[in-house]
Amino acid sequence: MKKQSNNNILPKPDFVFRKKNYVVMAIGLAVIALGFILMAGGGSDDPNVFNPEIYNFRRIRLAPTIVLIGFGIEVYAILLNPNKKKKQ
């Protein structure tokens, strides 16, 4: 009997995340970036002039909420198990 050599077989790398995890992570990063873009601006070009636009709804309420939603999506992407089988 001949023994077969297993030297040519490389172990397949076992990644923690799958493609679905990375797609959801990319969506979360895009939502976080959108929140920070909405926070930008509102300042005055002249430091001696106060611009009350810095305290509008978009910068104080909407943008931080969107950033927090993006962080929630990131947590979901990390905890997502794409290998879970559905019971039928």
Side-chain angles (χ1 to χ4, degrees):
M1 290 179 104
K2 285 185 175 180
K3 282 189 171 181
Q4 291 195 1
S5 173
N6 289 336
N7 294 340
N8 295 340
I9 299 173
L10 295 175
K12 187 176 179 183
D14 191 24
F15 294 110
V16 176
F17 298 126
R18 303 282 184 238
K19 182 180 178 182
K20 187 174 182 179
N21 294 89
Y22 289 116
V23 169
V24 176
M25 281 184 195
I27 292 169
L29 285 175
V31 171
I32 292 170
L34 175 67
F36 279 109
I37 289 170
L38 289 174
M39 271 190 238
S44 177
D45 294 333
D46 184 8
N48 295 323
V49 177
F50 177 74
N51 187 358
E53 275 296 304
I54 200 164
Y55 296 116
N56 66 7
F57 173 78
R58 186 184 85 195
R59 289 185 183 91
I60 297 298
R61 302 271 189 234
L62 182 64
T65 303
I66 290 176
V67 170
L68 289 175
I69 290 170
F71 284 133
I73 292 171
E74 290 295 322
V75 169
Y76 174 75
I78 291 170
L79 296 177
L80 180 65
N81 186 0
N83 297 330
K84 187 175 177 182
K85 304 280 184 189
K86 291 183 180 180
K87 291 183 180 180
Q88 291 183 359

